[in-house]
Each structure stands twice: as C-alpha cells, then as structure tokens.
C-alpha cells in the first residue's frame, strides 16, 4: 500500500506516494527527488554530512524516516541561496576557506545556518566548535569553518538588528 | 533493513494497541532505532510512529512544584528550557554533553531513556551476543571490552547503558510515567533499567506495548540547583559517548552537606546511583577528603569485566572531581563545553 506523503522542500510542495516505508529523508532527497546536494557520509548519524533543516531545525536526514516527516518543511543546501546571491553562510565559507574537498560542506553550511538561528554561540569560538561538533571534516578544514561561522553569525545578527531598527 | 508495516496512531490508546502486537516497535525520532534497523540488529515487523500523539510534548511546572516533561519533548528543547534548566541544571548539562546539536534537536526524551547499549558486538549481527539473542554467548568477554561495565555485570553480559540524561535523572529521583494495556503507572527511573543477570535480553521493566508518556522531576530535587554538575570523560572532546560520567548534586547549609546525590554513567547496564556514598556525605564538610571517601564507597563493589580495570580508578576520580565542581557551585551560564573535563578543577565558577 503506497504511503502518501506531503512535503514542502525549499519552498515547493511535493506530493509523494512512497512505495516503501524504509526510505530515509536523505534517500528520498537524493535518490527520488535528485536533490544530491545533501551528502551521505556514514548513513548512521555519525558525520553530519546529511544535515538539513526540518521545520527550521537542523537534523541528520539519514536517521529520519521520510514517511514520519509527513507535513514538514525541509530546507536543503539547494534552497539557501537567493537566486545568484549566495546565503551569508555560503559567502563566509568561501571567504574563510571553510573547505578543501567540499564533501562535508553542504552539511556544514546547513548546520551553521541552524546554529545561527538557535542563537547559542554568541560569537564565542569555543561554543561554535562545540555546537558544530556534529559535523566531521575529513580534510580538517575546521579552522576555516569556525571562522566562517563566526563571521556569518555576526553578519546575520547585524542585518537582523538593522531590519528591526 | 527488513521491510515493516508503518502505522501512525492518532491517540495513546490506539498506539498501545498497535505497540502491543508481537514484533512492534515505537518510533520516536529514530536516531537509535533506525540506526539499529539499518544494521539488522533490530528487525521489527511493525513501526508505530508515536511522534504525532497529542499532549506528549509539553514541559510543565505542576502545582506541587514537580516538573513534568512529555516523552516527545526533544532533548535540545528540554536542555534549553529556561525554567526547567534553572531548577535542574544537572539535567541540562547532561543533555548538552550528549550526541550532537542535530541529534539533540531530533531525539525525544522517551527514546533517550530506552536507547540501547553501544557494545560493538551487540551492533554486529555476525558476533555472538546474549542481549541480541538469548543464549548465543558473548563475544565481548574475550574481545574489545575496555569500555564495558565495572559494576553490576554478569558473565552473560558486561554492556553499559550509554545515556547521559539517565544519569542526571537517576541522581535527581526522577519518575517515569508509563502507560500500558493495564493503565498508567509510575516507575522510578532507577528501577526502569535492569542489570543483566542471566537474562541480558530483558533490559527494562517495561512490558510489550508499554509506552513512556512522561518523566517527572520532584520539586525536592530543585533544592540541588545551586550545586549540581555533570562530568563526562570521553575519548574526544565532543560528540562521543562517555567512558565514565558522573552527576553530582549537593545541598550545602552553613558549610556542611545537608543532602548529596551521586550517579555514574557508562559503568553498568543501568545508570548507577551511589546511595551509600551519598549517605556518607551527609553532615560532612564539602572537601576533597570527604569526596574521596565517598568515591571509595561508591566503587567498593566495582570489578573489572575485561581490559577495563582503569575505569574503576577513572570513576573514582570522576566522582571526586564532579563533587568538587558541584561544591564550587553551578555556573550561571552553561559552560562552552558542557560536562567537559577541559576546565580547571578549582575556581570552577568561571571555568572554560
Ligand atoms: C552518533 C550518535 C552519538 C550519540 N551520542 C550520545 C551521547 O553522547 N549521549 C547520549 O546519551 N546519547 C547519545 N546518542 C544517542 C541518542 O541520545 C539517542 O539515539 C536518542 O536519545 C534516542 O531518541 P529517539 O527519539 O531518536 O529514539 P528512537 O530511536 O526513536 O527510539 C529508541 C528506542 O526507544 C523506544 N521508544 C522511543 N520512544 C518511546 C516511548 N515514548 N515509549 C516507549 N518506547 C519508546 C523505541 O522503540 C526504540 O527502541 C547518540 C546517537 C548517535 C547516533
Ligand atoms: S557484552 Fe552484552 S551486549 Fe555486548 S556482546 Fe556481550 S551480551 Fe552482547
Ligand atoms: S550521513 Fe547522516 S550523519 Fe553521516
Ligand atoms: S572539506 Fe573535505 S571533508 Fe570537509
């Protein structure tokens, strides 16, 4: 029996009839919707490469059953730029060399976007490192990643303050 | 992964009916269950998705001062709940020392309580494991066992319970509200998990279909809020399970300890409450000598179950240090590295 599933992904509505309840959100995105920006590293919750936002919160999509996400709003790396204008976190990763091979980068960026909206790091590098510890980088680009997250956090909070004023 | 039927009950009664059938498993966030299913360690026939059940996601202060936390509350939401974290900072620090921000955003309180051991032989269906298959034998006995239990283990199984949250809850006398086919009952958290004995496959006091609906923290335990710390030794700074952890909570009056609470993590198949050590601290001056005495009492029955005699010494030191930190006072702000050893031992108030 097909399982009907409604998801909003990067702003677009998707009605999906899942033929198999075993499909994870990660496999749904990559294998069925061809949104391959989200990466599969470990497939077991241990690396963070699969990080996406579900209803605005960062989670590991490899351990989430797609069918259980029915009704959710999902944001992936494909949905963060505004046309040709990069998201401030993407821009900061480029400016600070926050990657080498780039495999972990979509997960790092989605995690950083989640971190900034959670507002717990407060400009502290140690807090950024701790709150980004769910994202491993085999290339060891951590120094650049931390600098990028700190800068993006500052830019985003600044922009929000200006908007509010 | 084995194929399964997926059901999404609309209310608790329907969930319990669906969850009581043989081969059924409740699905919280799935951060442990789906992992185990991917490895064919757990092979349910039916997944009962409880994430839409109404009224299980509230954090409430009850009129008598107790706090009640619904089973579907996400780990991060409890840790960052201002009123709850102010009253039970030990729980908040334990939660934030566990897993990663992504996992804490997803993981539910009920699922955290019932997460399974991280014994690598349990995770590997090609290995013999009495917990996975009763009577199969235990490959950990002769294998890689440096992370295994030092308290309460048996020849049948030396696995540990990996939850950080449960350590804090054990220390603070939390109660688990369980609903099953025969109604609702309260189970003290310290009685939820079982020691292995000769039935390591029976891990908890829950019957098939029993649903955790909430946990309660007693008002009395908020009396420890000013002196409560969690300390977790890991093999890397963050995003790792405990090698040994301890929750320590003190009530100090006129320079003497009025009440003490100590629980250990990753040393046994259940969060290990050290009641005799707590009693030895009552009336004592909160200093290193008293804490060392208490730690000796807490570990007096400890025995290595393999290449892990070092964990006995480690546990002793972790207790002393957690108590010293607790005595120095709960920090006003959550440390940058919750539960971490990377902080000075003295002057703990301004650590990290
Ligand atoms: C890489 C990694 C690192 C981790 N590190 C840590 C760590 O350092 N410290 C730590 O404490 N934990 C750690 N965890 C474990 C994590 O905390 C648990 O996976 C999580 O808390 C489980 O919650 P869940 O909602 O996802 O449960 P699920 O996976 O959905 O369920 C877990 C079990 O509980 C049962 N269940 C769930 N809810 C209920 C209920 N209400 N009533 C009855 N049964 C129920 C399920 O049937 C299943 O058997 C880690 C996990 C991963 C993947
Ligand atoms: S220690 Fe327990 S869980 Fe690990 S292999 Fe032995 S029986 Fe299984
Ligand atoms: S792919 Fe999901 S955490 Fe590694
Ligand atoms: S940039 Fe290569 S893994 Fe991070």
């Amino acid at each position: 029996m097909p399982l009907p599933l409604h998801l909003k992904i990067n702003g677009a509505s998707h009605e999906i009839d899942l033929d198999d309840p075993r499909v994870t959100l990660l496999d749904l995105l990559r294998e069925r919707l061809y949104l391959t920006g989200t990466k599969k590293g470990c497939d077991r919750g241990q690396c963070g490469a699969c990080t996406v936002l579900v209803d605005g919160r960062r989670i590991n999509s490899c351990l989430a059953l797609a069918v259980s996400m029915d009704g959710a709003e999902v944001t992936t790396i494909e949905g963060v730029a505004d046309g040709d204008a990069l998201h401030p976190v993407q821009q900061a990763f480029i400016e600070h060399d926050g990657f080498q091979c780039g495999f972990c980068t979509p997960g790092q960026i989605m995690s950083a976007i989640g971190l900034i909206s959670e507002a717990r790091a407060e400009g502290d590098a140690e807090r950024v490192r701790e709150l980004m510890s769910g994202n491993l980088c085999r290339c060891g680009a951590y120094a650049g990643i931390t600098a990028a997250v700190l800068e993006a956090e500052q830019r985003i909070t600044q922009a929000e303050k200006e908007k509010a004023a | 992964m084995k194929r399964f039927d997926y059901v999404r009950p609309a209310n608790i009664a329907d969930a319990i009916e669906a969850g009581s059938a043989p081969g059924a498993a409740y699905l919280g966030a799935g951060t442990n269950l789906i992992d185990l299913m991917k490895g064919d360690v757990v092979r349910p026939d039916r997944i009962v998705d409880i994430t839409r059940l109404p009224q299980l996601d509230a954090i409430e202060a009850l009129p008598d001062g107790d706090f009640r936390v619904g089973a579907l509350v996400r780990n991060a939401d409890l840790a960052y709940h201002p009123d709850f974290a102010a009253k039970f900072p030990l729980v908040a620090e334990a939660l934030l020392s566990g897993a990663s921000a992504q996992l804490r955003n997803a993981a539910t309180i009920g699922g955290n309580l019932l997460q399974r051991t991280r014994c690598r032989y349990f995770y590997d269906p090609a290995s013999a494991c009495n917990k996975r298959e009763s009577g199969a034998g235990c490959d950990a006995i002769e294998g890689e066992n440096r992370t295994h239990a030092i308290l309460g283990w048996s020849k049948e199984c030396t696995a540990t319970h990996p939850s950080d949250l449960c350590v804090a809850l054990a220390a603070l006398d939390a109660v688990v509200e369980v609903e099953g086919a025969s109604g609702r009952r309260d189970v003290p958290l310290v009685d939820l998990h079982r020691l292995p004995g000769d039935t390591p496959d029976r891990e908890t006091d829950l019957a098939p279909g029993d649903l955790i609906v909430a946990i309660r923290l007693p008002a009395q335990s908020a009396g420890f809020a000013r002196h409560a710390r969690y300390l977790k030794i890991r093999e890397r700074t963050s995003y790792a399970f405990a090698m040994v952890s301890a929750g320590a909570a003190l009530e100090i009056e006129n320079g003497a300890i009025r009440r003490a609470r100590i629980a250990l993590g990753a040393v046994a198949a259940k969060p290990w409450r050290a009641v005799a050590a707590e009693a030895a601290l009552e009336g004592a001056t909160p200093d290193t000598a008293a804490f060392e005495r208490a730690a000796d009492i807490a570990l007096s029955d400890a025995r290595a179950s393999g290449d892990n005699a070092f964990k006995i010494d480690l546990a002793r030191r972790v207790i002393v240090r957690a108590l010293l930190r607790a005595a120095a006072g709960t920090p006003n702000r959550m440390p940058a590295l919750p539960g971490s050893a990377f902080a000075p031992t003295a002057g703990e108030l301004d650590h990290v």
Side-chain angles (χ1 to χ4, degrees):
Chain A
M1 204 175 69
L3 301 153
L5 174 61
H6 173 81
L7 288 175
K8 200 168 201 179
I9 301 171
N10 299 330
S13 281
H14 292 259
E15 307 291 339
I16 301 151
D17 275 330
L18 262 191
D19 52 350
D20 188 333
R22 293 174 293 187
V23 177
T24 60
L25 178 59
L26 175 61
D27 286 341
L28 178 80
L29 292 169
R30 287 183 56 84
E31 312 289 337
R32 306 199 174 208
L33 302 173
Y34 307 112
L35 290 166
T36 54
T38 308
K39 299 301 179 216
K40 183 186 280 193
C42 64
D43 209 22
R44 304 297 280 270
Q46 297 172 4
C47 76
C50 65
T51 303
V52 300
L53 304 184
V54 169
D55 297 328
R57 294 160 66 106
R58 50 178 167 157
I59 67 155
N60 307 85
S61 60
C62 67
L63 292 182
L65 275 193
V67 50
S68 184
M69 299 286 116
D70 187 17
E73 279 193 35
V74 180
T75 309
T76 71
I77 190 70
E78 288 91 345
V80 300
D82 183 5
D84 284 339
L86 293 181
H87 187 281
V89 174
Q90 290 175 306
Q91 192 60 44
F93 266 68
I94 292 172
E95 285 166 21
H96 290 272
D97 255 348
F99 47 80
Q100 287 179 37
C101 78
F103 185 83
C104 71
T105 311
Q108 301 278 3
I109 288 173
M110 296 316 294
S111 190
I113 294 174
L115 176 153
I116 291 165
S117 75
E118 288 158 18
R120 306 272 164 202
E122 300 162 22
D124 177 333
E126 189 79 299
R127 286 175 196 270
V128 167
R129 282 190 288 269
E130 166 65 21
L131 294 171
M132 289 294 288
S133 74
N135 293 83
L136 304 191
C137 174
R138 285 305 293 269
C139 298
Y142 295 111
I145 292 169
T146 304
V149 176
L150 283 168
E151 162 123 24
E153 184 198 22
Q154 211 216 334
R155 265 191 232 160
I156 290 171
T157 31
Q158 189 63 36
E160 270 164 13
K161 262 193 216 136
E162 277 163 20
K163 220 193 231 150
Chain B
M1 196 190 298
K2 191 174 96 172
R3 182 132 189 162
F4 53 82
D5 291 332
Y6 172 86
V7 293
R8 192 189 293 155
N11 57 55
I12 291 179
D14 288 354
I16 290 169
E17 199 185 315
S20 301
Y26 291 126
L27 175 73
T31 62
N32 189 220
L33 183 62
I34 300 301
D35 190 14
L36 290 164
M37 287 166 63
K38 284 184 178 186
D40 270 336
V41 182
V42 176
R43 298 165 51 81
D45 298 310
R46 176 195 277 182
I47 289 293
V48 181
D49 185 345
I50 58 173
T51 56
R52 312 304 165 93
L53 292 179
Q55 283 152 9
L56 294 186
D57 59 357
I59 303 171
E60 331 157 65
L62 302 178
D64 58 4
D66 288 4
F67 257 80
R68 187 170 184 276
V69 180
L72 291 178
V73 169
R74 309 292 169 160
N75 286 201
D77 293 337
L78 185 58
Y80 292 125
H81 188 277
D83 297 342
F84 180 88
K87 288 206 154 63
F88 308 104
L90 184 63
V91 177
E93 188 168 20
L95 277 169
L96 293 176
S97 77
S100 66
Q102 289 95 316
L103 287 160
R104 294 191 295 267
N105 273 345
T108 64
I109 295 299
N112 190 316
L113 263 47
L114 294 182
Q115 63 174 298
R116 315 288 300 276
T117 183
R118 306 307 281 202
C119 171
R120 65 179 67 180
Y121 302 101
F122 172 72
Y123 257 79
D124 169 25
S127 300
C129 171
N130 287 323
K131 193 185 272 304
R132 224 183 323 102
E133 192 188 335
S134 180
C138 167
D139 276 351
I141 299 281
E142 298 286 319
E144 294 268 338
N145 50 27
R146 54 191 296 279
T147 64
H148 281 62
I150 51 170
L151 284 162
W153 52 272
S154 72
K155 286 199 311 295
E156 264 52 63
C157 178
T158 60
T160 62
H161 195 262
S163 166
D164 294 298
L165 168 65
C166 286
V167 179
L169 295 182
L172 297 179
D173 297 306
V175 171
V176 184
E177 291 180 21
V178 177
E179 187 157 334
S182 48
R184 239 177 230 223
R185 65 184 196 278
D186 281 353
V187 181
L189 184 106
V190 288
D191 297 334
L192 181 68
H193 305 93
R194 297 174 157 221
L195 292 177
D198 46 21
T199 52
D201 53 314
R202 289 221 48 199
E203 296 178 332
T204 68
D205 262 4
L206 302 184
D210 276 351
L211 181 75
I212 294 179
V213 293
I215 55 170
R216 278 200 324 273
L217 273 297
Q220 265 214 332
S221 294
F224 296 107
R226 290 175 54 212
H227 294 280
R229 290 305 300 276
Y230 189 69
L231 175 61
K232 174 178 177 184
I233 304 301
R234 298 157 258 198
E235 292 193 312
R236 61 182 183 194
T237 307
S238 180
Y239 198 18
F241 286 95
M243 180 62 80
V244 171
S245 71
L250 299 169
E251 213 176 274
I252 300 175
E253 223 174 62
N254 304 323
I257 296 169
R258 208 168 79 84
R259 292 192 297 159
R261 293 287 183 272
I262 303 169
L264 289 167
V267 295
K270 59 188 288 182
W272 194 268
R273 177 83 181 261
V275 181
E278 295 169 1
L281 284 177
E282 273 172 33
T285 308
D287 59 17
T288 307
F291 295 156
E292 283 176 349
R293 274 198 307 279
D296 285 341
I297 295 171
L299 275 306
S300 58
D301 290 333
R303 281 177 306 138
S305 61
D307 300 325
N308 61 354
F310 77 95
K311 282 184 68 168
I312 302 174
D313 268 344
L314 184 60
R316 217 178 258 126
R317 294 192 198 126
V318 169
I319 291 178
V320 173
R321 192 151 165 195
L323 283 164
L324 283 170
R325 287 187 173 185
T330 308
N332 293 329
R333 185 175 175 219
M334 184 59 69
L337 305 177
S340 174
F342 295 109
T345 306
E348 295 283 356
L349 275 176
D350 33 53
H351 66 103
V352 188

